[in-house]
Every structure is written in structure tokens, then in C-alpha cells.
Amino acid sequence: MNQRAGVVGAGLMGAEIALVYALSGRSVILADTTDEKLEAARQRLSALMEKGISRGLYKPEDKAALARIETTTDLQRFSDCSVVTEAVFESMEVKSAVLKQLDSVCAPQCMIASNTSTLPISTLASHLSAPRRSRFLGMHYFSPVTRMKLVEVIPAFDTSEETLASALELARDLGKAPIRVKDVTGFAVNRVLHAFVIEAIRLVEEGVATPEDIDTACKLGLGHPIGPFELMDATTSSLCLQVQEILQEAYGERFRPRPLLKQRVRAGLVGGRTAQGWRPKSQK
């Protein structure tokens, strides 16, 4: 088995996971459902690299990593990967379908990791064949993947200690700081984060402070590098709502999404690269 890595899903998370692998010297194959999505991912990574070089985050020679990323719409090409990361849409139905495909294609010794941020790993593992489950676990990266150090490593019921150790070592080899987390809905960070975000939105609903001032308060008063509303604008309020709905189903009222968040998502004020978010784009 070589050091070839596979990533399924060429969105914001998956594309940057592929780049992190490529920067470590590995050859990478990045898959998605259409050539258009893959080309868009290539353009984003190229722009990210150029921006990083201009800011001193990367060296000019790091551009060679982009050439180590191949793209495909055919998961059959994952047959010789030593590790594959699933980074598709945060839906049990979508993820389980991809995992079933990978189970039938990947070599027996290949480690498969899900980048899910909320879904229980043992539930995802149930969609794999019994022999595969010892080589499956969660590896939850944080956005932006190329800059954020943390990786939550989550073993399922049947994950072997050997697989867990390999995943922790792999994360460190990628320049990340892994922590082992119990397999519960939302894991560790999202449970802390969304309790925080829910209260921040409540403050806006009550007229206590504006999103801009709350962001300033969290950065200057708590030492956070980014405020909660800036974070929602970067990752989208629609994803935030989706995660909180999953957490509410698991844990009850403490994670009920605030009415203002639901209202803004329904109005299309979700942030991201194109839509208006909580803050005017000139302030981001």
C-alpha cells in the first residue's frame, strides 16, 4: 500500500483537506460528482495558494503541491489509496451512499475516515461491511483546513486501536494537533461552539448589542481570533442552522436554533462567498 490519499467531496472542506495531504508530499486524488465542481475546486485552491504566498503563509515552491492533486468523478480510482477521507454533504443519506461505494472499491487495509462534524461515527459505520469497520473512524477537520490545527479523531464502536493510533499519527504528520473524542453527536467542539453561538444570536434578538460589537467583544474581551457572526458568515448560517437542528434532536432544548437564525436563513441571508450575511461584506 502506497501513501496515496483520496478525498471524496471537492467543496470548501474536501478541497482543502486534499491540499493539506498534497503539502505533506503525498499524491492525492480528489473526487466529486461533476467535472465542473472539480474545476471550481482547482481554481479555489490555486487562488488560495497565490494568496498564501503573497502573505508569506506559503513558499513559492509549495505551488508544486497543486500538481500532486488529481481529480476524478470515478470512485473506482480509489482502489490503491492507503487512506480515504469522506467530506461530502452533512447528510446521513448522502454520506452512507458514498461509504458503501468506498467499501466496495477500497483495498481491505485502506483506512476510511469521515469528516462529519455532527453525525455519530458508529451510525455511519453501520453502512460499511463488518470487516471494514475496524478500519473506519471520524477525522473532523476545522475550516479553513489549511490554517486550523485541530482535528477531532473519533473512534466508532468497532474501530481498532491500531486504526486509531494510525489516524492520530497521520494527523500529526499533516501538521495538525489531534485530540481523541468520544463518539457522541456533535463531538466536543461543536457542542461548545453552538451553545456559544446560540447565546450570541439571543443577544442580538434582545437588542443587547449588534453583531459587529459582539464580534469585537469576543475578539478583544475573550481573545477569540474571529467573532461568532464573522464565523457564521464564513461557514454560512445555513450550515449553522443545520448543525443546531442535529444537536437539538440529540440533546433537546439547549440547542434549539434561535428564531432570528431561522428567519435569516429562510430570507437567504446566509453569508458565504456570495450571499449577504450578518455583517456587510465591507466589514469582513
Side-chain angles (χ1 to χ4, degrees), residues 122-165:
S122 293
T123 305
L124 289 170
S126 70
H127 298 284
L128 298 168
S129 61
R132 174 75 66 183
R133 294 173 191 170
S134 67
R135 298 287 293 162
F136 174 74
L137 78 175
M139 291 185 71
H140 176 215
Y141 297 81
F142 288 79
S143 182
V145 180
T146 49
R147 294 171 58 188
M148 299 293 278
K149 288 286 199 179
L150 182 65
V151 178
E152 290 180 312
V153 179
I154 311 102
F157 290 133
D158 296 323
T159 305
S160 69
E161 286 299 318
E162 178 186 4
T163 298
L164 177 61

Side-chain angles (χ1 to χ4, degrees), residues 16 19 43-53 58 146:
E16 290 203 25
L19 180 58
Q43 292 179 9
R44 285 199 309 274
L45 291 181
S46 180
L48 185 153
M49 179 62 68
E50 293 294 342
K51 189 175 183 179
I53 291 172
Y58 298 117
T146 49

Side-chain angles (χ1 to χ4, degrees), residues 25-85:
R26 292 170 171 82
S27 61
V28 186
I29 183 160
L30 176 63
D32 213 309
T33 54
T34 68
D35 289 328
E36 289 76 16
K37 291 179 180 179
L38 293 167
E39 179 57 29
R42 279 200 172 280
Q43 292 179 9
R44 285 199 309 274
L45 291 181
S46 180
L48 185 153
M49 179 62 68
E50 293 294 342
K51 189 175 183 179
I53 291 172
S54 68
R55 293 182 174 182
L57 301 174
Y58 298 117
K59 300 175 183 177
E61 54 265 34
D62 288 333
K63 290 178 68 174
L66 295 173
R68 289 195 284 272
I69 302 175
E70 300 176 56
T71 57
T72 186
T73 58
D74 182 9
L75 292 189
Q76 294 290 329
R77 294 187 58 193
F78 283 61
S79 60
D80 65 344
C81 291
S82 60
V83 59
V84 173
T85 300

Side-chain angles (χ1 to χ4, degrees), residues 118-249:
T118 54
L119 300 174
I121 301 302
S122 293
T123 305
L124 289 170
S126 70
H127 298 284
L128 298 168
S129 61
R132 174 75 66 183
R133 294 173 191 170
S134 67
R135 298 287 293 162
F136 174 74
L137 78 175
M139 291 185 71
H140 176 215
Y141 297 81
F142 288 79
S143 182
V145 180
T146 49
R147 294 171 58 188
M148 299 293 278
K149 288 286 199 179
L150 182 65
V151 178
E152 290 180 312
V153 179
I154 311 102
F157 290 133
D158 296 323
T159 305
S160 69
E161 286 299 318
E162 178 186 4
T163 298
L164 177 61
S166 295
L168 292 168
E169 181 182 0
L170 171 63
R172 295 186 189 102
D173 190 48
L174 296 176
K176 302 301 182 184
I179 62 170
R180 177 175 179 168
V181 180
K182 184 180 178 181
D183 182 22
V184 294
T185 302
F187 314 130
V189 172
N190 265 330
R191 287 175 62 177
V192 173
L193 171 63
H194 285 279
F196 174 74
V197 168
I198 287 168
E199 189 61 26
I201 297 172
R202 184 182 281 111
L203 290 173
V204 173
E205 288 177 330
E206 295 174 355
V208 175
T210 65
E212 294 86 349
D213 285 345
I214 292 171
D215 281 347
T216 298
C218 290
K219 288 186 285 187
L220 301 184
L222 299 177
H224 292 189
I226 185 172
F229 296 96
E230 290 175 295
L231 179 61
M232 280 189 282
D233 281 355
T235 60
T236 74
S237 290
S238 52
L239 176 60
C240 180
L241 176 59
Q242 180 188 12
V243 171
Q244 288 177 15
E245 288 173 339
I246 292 171
L247 292 173
Q248 183 194 0
E249 183 180 359

